[in-house]
Amino acid sequence: MRNQIDLLAAVTVLGVLEQAYFALQVIYARRKYKISPPETRGHPEFERIFRAQVNCSEYFPIFISLLWVAGIFFHQGAAAASGLLYLCARFQYFHGYAQAPSRRLGPLYASARLLWLLLGLAVVGLLGHFLPLGALVADTALGRQLRRLLGW
């Protein structure tokens, strides 16, 4: 069973480490600009770092849920690759936002597209699991190739 979820687990741990890194950046910015919790206002650079971390944290549960559903019901490799790209886009988003609000937009759009991709993979995988289409498609050449490729 482990080899069926190892990539998903690795991407999940990388995502948790990324979230910890973002939180540490907020701590460092608080110290640099002498802004004590629970204060969230202060130097503009601190506010951008704080906002970037909060934005990334807000989307993390959605990302993890879609990563696992897509990986279990569609294909682990496709979900893990999409997940890695998502984490890279969020890293770029965080650092872009920390520098200037306008630098967050490209990575923001990229990460949103990747979440939509994961949602699409999850939906297709769940449909393939719950609907009896597999038996209808299995006897066609395309169906056999899809089943071999996706492990259905």
Side-chain angles (χ1 to χ4, degrees):
M1 175 171 154
R2 286 185 188 165
N3 63 345
Q4 295 173 341
I5 59 169
D6 55 352
L7 298 176
L8 300 176
V11 173
T12 299
V13 170
L14 285 174
V16 169
L17 290 173
E18 183 178 67
Q19 291 297 307
Y21 169 80
F22 294 158
L24 285 172
Q25 297 311 299
V26 172
I27 292 169
Y28 298 149
R30 283 188 182 282
R31 289 179 183 161
K32 180 178 180 180
Y33 298 109
K34 297 175 177 47
I35 301 170
S36 297
E39 205 51 51
T40 60
R41 309 274 306 157
H43 191 278
E45 184 179 354
F46 165 75
E47 289 183 16
R48 289 192 306 270
I49 290 170
F50 179 78
R51 206 54 240 151
Q53 185 268 332
V54 170
N55 289 351
C56 290
S57 294
E58 289 170 345
Y59 282 90
F60 194 66
I62 296 168
F63 163 67
I64 290 297
S65 301
L66 292 175
L67 173 73
W68 279 86
V69 174
I72 290 171
F73 288 96
F74 184 78
H75 190 272
Q76 178 186 208
S82 299
L84 283 175
L85 291 173
Y86 175 84
L87 293 177
C88 289
R90 278 320 227 181
F91 189 81
Q92 291 175 330
Y93 167 85
F94 182 88
H95 285 287
Y97 201 167
Q99 294 171 4
S102 61
R103 296 195 63 188
R104 78 190 193 287
L105 295 177
L108 174 68
Y109 297 145
S111 63
R113 284 190 291 272
L114 288 160
L115 281 180
W116 281 107
L117 174 62
L118 283 169
L119 177 63
L121 296 177
V123 167
V124 168
L126 286 169
L127 286 174
H129 176 74
F130 285 113
L131 296 179
L133 297 177
L136 298 174
V137 176
D139 293 333
T140 67
L142 176 62
R144 286 189 291 278
Q145 288 176 342
L146 282 174
R147 291 178 72 77
R148 246 191 324 269
L149 176 67
L150 300 175
W152 287 350

